[in-house]
Amino acid sequence: MWKGRFEKDTSDLVQRYGESISYDWRLYSHDIRGSIAHASALNAAGILTAKEFAAIKKGLNQIEKEIDAGTFEFSIGLEDIHMNIESALTRRIGAAGAKLHTARSRNDQIALDIRLYCRDEVREIIGLIRKLQTALVGCAGRHQSAVVPGYTHLQRGQPVLFAHHLLAYVEMLERDAARLADCLKRINVMPLGSGALAGSTIVLDRKLVAKLLEFPTVTTNSMDAISDRDFVAELLFAIALAGTHLSRLSEDVILWASAEFGFVSLSDAHTTGSSLMPQKKNPDVAELTRGKTGRLYGNLMSLLTLLKGLPMTYNRDLQEDKEPLFDSIDTIRMALDVFAEMVAAMKVNESVTLKAASDPFLLATDLADYLVKKGVPFRNAHEVIGQLTAHSLKSGIAFQEIPLETYRSFSGAFEQDLYSVLNVTTALKARKGIGAPSPSNVANELKKWKRQLAPKASVNRNTRNRMPKV
Ligand code: ARG
């Protein structure tokens, strides 16, 4: 492709060192979509005849079919996906193929391909987030009355509905989806026409290319357009943060599935055994997800480090953006998919969670609130209940069993009605402020999420990304 200036061939070692076809081949459909749109602009500018344009389109579509079918032969000598496709095209259709790269550089070509790829993937990932949210809402709905202790510091705190706990993850995932949708705004800008760095003296209709590729806008600085990958960095961050949320959920599932908690049972299909200990049933999916989150962070760090200190404009370093990007996308897609499947089959052991949630100390805060309602300042109430807790621990008498006289020896504000507070059901019902886990609040939230997550008939996810006819 650059043979004019050189006298010697590239060394084998350098070819192997510099090739990216072993991983960027997966951009082929985006590369071809971009090339067809570029050829349309060349045709509109009179650089390609209608016949040449038709031959290019036909040739590229044929190449795409062969790559789809696995019959296309890639060559490491041709370095990357762009040159592999262009060279195959020229071999097949001759001169018209050799005109395709007019007013284009691989620098703006790769910037375009990555944007097209990221755009498709972001939409897929958002779809998978919806799938996991739906599974979480489904599990919450199946166990709507299950009560669990809510924890801080992994110490029992106050009772909550299990559904409330799961819906916390639905909220986190909702923000993850919103962050991805926001990234999409910056991804969805068309860079082709920026050339190697300074556009071209052959001026093409960039807006036409944008329209053909369904980009709402075009980039407005050629140097920026080919040299920055900030849109990849923010995508990797959004994915890493979604991974953080999945990793926290993993940790909960791992704890819940342990004998010590026993809160949930995972399906055999989503657990593994031990090669040595016959009794084991391990929550590997959750452990792997927790572990893979490390790669998501690593990929983000790789990319940020890659960009830092690059002089303007394109530098070959940028080729190193692809593997972290592909890896993060593959990893998060799998993790979301497998988690959705696992959660859909997860069962809550409601009698076990109820027993744990019936720990009288979970209602200590409720007792303090009771005193506050009788006019005791909260700090004093807190101290009184602290002393009562010590009394209960020392005597082995649960809050419910302590006689009224004893209560009154700690505070004169206690009356007979204190016992009605000491009940998990009452305690949950009382938490009815916005965002708190009263059963009616949780029921409303479940209804809201079900409505929100129901597939919308108007959005057809299969056709949205398809290249319009040119
Ligand atoms: N494979 C290259 C990349 O991923 C494409 C652009 C190459 N440009 C160049 N001038 N060598 O960045």
Side-chain angles (χ1 to χ4, degrees):
M1 292 278 167
W2 50 71
K3 52 186 187 285
R5 185 204 192 284
F6 289 77
E7 287 175 4
K8 266 196 200 154
D9 288 342
T10 317
S11 103
D12 279 352
L13 205 50
V14 170
Q15 266 187 21
R16 269 175 30 227
Y17 194 55
E19 67 82 20
S20 55
I21 189 62
S22 55
Y23 49 88
D24 72 9
W25 67 269
R26 57 196 272 175
L27 296 172
Y28 70 96
S29 65
H30 304 98
D31 197 72
I32 288 172
R33 263 155 87 192
S35 284
I36 293 177
H38 180 63
S40 306
L42 290 173
N43 175 228
I47 289 163
L48 289 177
T49 64
K51 231 174 120 191
E52 287 170 327
F53 176 35
I56 287 176
K57 252 195 304 184
K58 195 165 159 230
L60 288 173
N61 286 330
Q62 182 58 35
I63 290 170
E64 181 167 21
K65 268 198 210 107
E66 286 171 28
I67 301 177
D68 278 340
T71 56
F72 185 86
E73 230 173 86
F74 291 108
S75 151
I76 281 190
L78 290 165
E79 218 178 88
D80 58 24
I81 186 62
H82 323 299
M83 302 222 288
N84 268 270
I85 291 176
E86 191 192 322
S87 134
L89 181 70
T90 307
R91 251 183 285 127
R92 291 169 192 205
I93 67 166
K99 288 187 179 179
L100 176 62
H101 211 53
T102 311
R104 184 175 73 171
S105 156
R106 282 185 294 155
N107 296 353
D108 58 351
Q109 191 175 356
I110 187 62
L112 173 70
D113 291 4
I114 301 180
R115 283 172 186 270
L116 286 169
Y117 168 79
C118 287
R119 187 171 76 177
D120 282 353
E121 292 298 332
V122 162
R123 288 170 179 162
E124 288 295 319
I125 296 169
I126 291 176
L128 288 166
I129 288 179
R130 298 286 173 242
K131 189 171 160 192
L132 176 54
Q133 285 179 305
T134 305
L136 288 164
V137 169
C139 181
R142 281 193 302 282
H143 299 285
Q144 203 172 325
S145 47
V147 199
V148 284
Y151 298 80
T152 61
H153 313 269
L154 208 53
Q155 304 290 319
R156 286 177 180 170
Q158 296 174 16
V160 290
L161 286 177
F162 179 76
H164 192 63
H165 191 141
L166 281 194
L167 287 180
Y169 285 103
V170 176
E171 300 270 355
M172 294 177 222
L173 289 165
E174 186 65 18
R175 290 192 296 277
D176 292 329
R179 245 182 303 275
L180 287 164
D182 199 67
C183 288
L184 199 50
K185 290 184 208 155
R186 260 100 43 204
I187 290 169
N188 213 5
V189 187
M190 209 291 296
L192 208 66
S194 304
L197 79 149
S200 172
T201 56
I202 299 163
V203 180
L204 299 180
D205 184 352
R206 298 189 62 210
K207 287 192 178 151
L208 169 70
V209 177
K211 196 167 151 225
L212 293 172
L213 296 172
E214 295 176 88
F215 283 99
T217 51
V218 301
T219 55
T220 50
N221 183 301
S222 61
M223 296 175 81
D224 173 44
I226 55 113
S227 68
D228 209 343
R229 297 289 183 268
D230 53 358
F231 63 95
V232 178
E234 64 175 306
L235 174 55
L236 291 190
F237 170 72
I239 291 175
L241 195 52
T244 308
H245 292 148
L246 286 187
S247 185
R248 295 187 65 192
L249 177 56
S250 297
E251 181 64 17
D252 274 348
V253 168
I254 292 163
L255 287 172
W256 290 340
S258 69
E260 281 67 19
F261 278 76
F263 288 3
V264 302
S265 303
L266 299 172
S267 155
D268 287 353
H270 306 124
T271 48
T272 61
S274 157
S275 57
L276 193 146
M277 299 168 280
Q279 86 285 9
K280 291 296 286 291
K281 182 172 166 180
N282 298 326
D284 291 32
V285 167
E287 294 165 75
L288 282 166
T289 305
R290 190 176 55 186
K292 282 172 191 288
T293 302
R295 299 163 63 139
L296 302 180
Y297 295 178
N299 291 336
L300 171 63
M301 264 321 128
S302 294
L303 190 83
L304 289 172
T305 312
L306 177 70
L307 297 180
K308 167 187 173 298
L310 282 188
M312 287 283 265
T313 54
Y314 181 85
N315 298 273
R316 191 63 181 279
D317 314 44
L318 287 175
Q319 182 166 293
E320 293 287 314
D321 63 350
K322 275 160 224 66
E323 285 169 296
L325 172 64
F326 294 161
D327 186 64
S328 279
I329 283 180
D330 293 346
T331 304
I332 198 73
R333 282 184 61 156
M334 269 290 254
L336 288 164
D337 217 9
V338 74
F339 240 90
E341 195 182 284
M342 183 178 75
V343 169
M346 186 171 83
K347 297 215 163 54
V348 179
N349 306 322
E350 298 193 19
S351 57
V352 179
T353 62
L354 180 62
K355 193 159 171 258
S358 303
D359 176 346
F361 289 131
L362 288 178
L363 300 174
T365 319
D366 295 56
L367 265 187
D369 289 348
Y370 166 89
L371 287 179
V372 167
K373 286 175 197 157
K374 297 282 180 190
V376 181
F378 179 74
R379 272 293 147 236
N380 302 352
H382 186 285
E383 196 187 338
V384 167
I385 307 302
Q387 287 159 355
L388 267 160
T389 302
H391 170 76
S392 171
L393 282 170
K394 234 182 278 153
S395 63
I397 307 171
F399 281 163
Q400 287 89 330
E401 317 302 333
I402 298 174
L404 181 59
E405 313 85 77
T406 314
Y407 270 108
R408 290 184 63 81
S409 71
F410 285 90
S411 164
F414 280 118
E415 290 172 59
Q416 186 60 41
D417 60 352
L418 81 93
Y419 294 100
S420 67
V421 171
L422 296 173
N423 174 300
V424 186
T425 313
T426 327
L428 278 172
K429 270 199 194 139
R431 291 173 157 77
K432 54 182 182 231
I434 297 170
S438 76
S440 82
N441 275 358
V442 172
N444 283 335
E445 283 297 302
L446 276 173
K447 233 187 274 160
K448 177 195 85 180
W449 283 114
K450 274 184 199 148
R451 212 181 318 116
Q452 215 165 297
L453 290 166
K456 294 188 183 56
S458 59
V459 183
N460 186 339
R461 299 192 342 105
N462 294 329
T463 56
R464 202 167 40 185
N465 295 332
R466 206 180 288 153
M467 163 96 173
K469 280 222 160 59
V470 289

